[in-house]
Amino acid sequence: MRRCIACRESKPQDQLLRFTFRDGCIEADKDIKNEGRGIYLCRNRECADMALKRKAFNRVLRTNADAEKIERAIDEALGN
Ligand SMILES: [Zn+2]
């Protein structure tokens, strides 16, 4: 079980989107194959928007990544 960084619900990994953080960059990890620390988000737009609004990625990762780049990674993960 992994926890969504937006709503903080724990769910099985296959119900969540996975992201990884590498070289200062947040990437969508669609195939769950990237190494490094995984960050998880529910597979829906609500949690994506909540995470963006609350700057949840940057808080969890203690970084200051560009909101635009985070949004792009989320869009990619959601398949938009
Ligand atoms: Zn969630």
Side-chain angles (χ1 to χ4, degrees):
M1 301 285 271
R2 305 288 181 189
R3 184 174 290 198
C4 168
I5 59 167
C7 67
R8 294 165 185 247
E9 268 184 59
S10 289
K11 298 185 178 181
Q13 188 167 311
D14 62 0
Q15 289 179 24
L16 298 163
L17 301 169
R18 185 175 195 260
F19 299 88
T20 49
F21 185 62
R22 274 198 304 199
D23 305 325
C25 199
I26 292 165
E27 297 175 357
D29 183 20
K30 283 181 167 175
D31 303 319
I32 321 274
K33 65 176 184 358
N34 288 352
E35 297 198 9
R37 184 165 175 202
I39 307 120
Y40 296 88
L41 202 59
C42 295
R43 210 172 270 279
N44 64 52
R45 186 37 81 175
E46 287 70 30
C47 282
D49 287 345
M50 206 192 312
L52 283 169
K53 203 158 67 185
R54 294 183 181 170
K55 303 186 187 343
F57 279 88
N58 282 337
R59 209 176 51 223
V60 167
L61 295 165
R62 296 175 201 277
T63 184
N64 195 18
D66 226 34
E68 211 172 281
K69 285 181 186 160
I70 297 171
E71 217 168 329
R72 207 174 307 145
I74 290 174
D75 282 346
E76 195 192 330
L78 281 169
N80 294 341

